[in-house]
Amino acid sequence: MSASAEAAKRRASDAQRLAARPEASVWVAASAGSGKTKVLTDRVLTLLLDGTDPARILCLTFTKAAAAEMANRLSERLGHWSIYAAEELSEDLSDLLGRVPDQPLM
């Protein structure tokens, strides 16, 4: 991958991570395949990691297919977290949060 493509990918990941932060109020609108479901899934995960009661999280999608896809992604990611070794979990949480997780979060 070229340096400019790597930089563009890094900027996109940083923007998605910013939109997933629980303390931010954001609207995400983009074309198909651009990462909206990833951002919404990451946002739910960061809210849960931040201690939000799952019953207080509401996600709006335009289709049942999108809602099902998001539910599948959440279930898959949480399932992986439950069986990951500490190093794998730390790496995944670092990618999600943009920082190394501390021990209580792990």
Side-chain angles (χ1 to χ4, degrees):
M1 187 178 290
S2 71
S4 61
E6 251 326 296
K9 183 178 178 183
R10 194 170 35 256
R11 283 192 306 274
S13 292
D14 290 345
Q16 287 179 334
R17 192 176 297 116
L18 181 64
R21 290 178 30 206
E23 65 274 6
S25 177
V26 298
W27 286 87
V28 176
S31 59
S34 61
K36 295 181 301 294
T37 302
K38 180 192 181 312
V39 169
L40 190 53
T41 301
D42 286 355
R43 187 170 176 87
V44 169
L45 291 168
T46 58
L47 285 166
L48 293 171
L49 289 169
D50 200 45
T52 302
D53 179 354
R56 297 193 46 90
I57 299 173
L58 173 65
C59 299
L60 300 176
T61 63
F62 287 105
T63 66
K64 288 181 182 181
E69 175 64 22
M70 198 178 108
N72 289 338
R73 289 185 190 191
L74 284 168
S75 293
E76 182 178 331
R77 191 95 173 260
L78 292 170
H80 285 149
W81 285 358
S82 70
I83 60 171
Y84 274 164
E87 185 177 308
E88 291 174 301
L89 180 59
S90 179
E91 185 178 313
D92 198 30
L93 290 174
S94 294
D95 288 344
L96 175 66
L97 302 171
R99 62 178 170 78
V100 176
D102 57 15
Q103 194 56 44
L105 185 61
M106 292 283 291

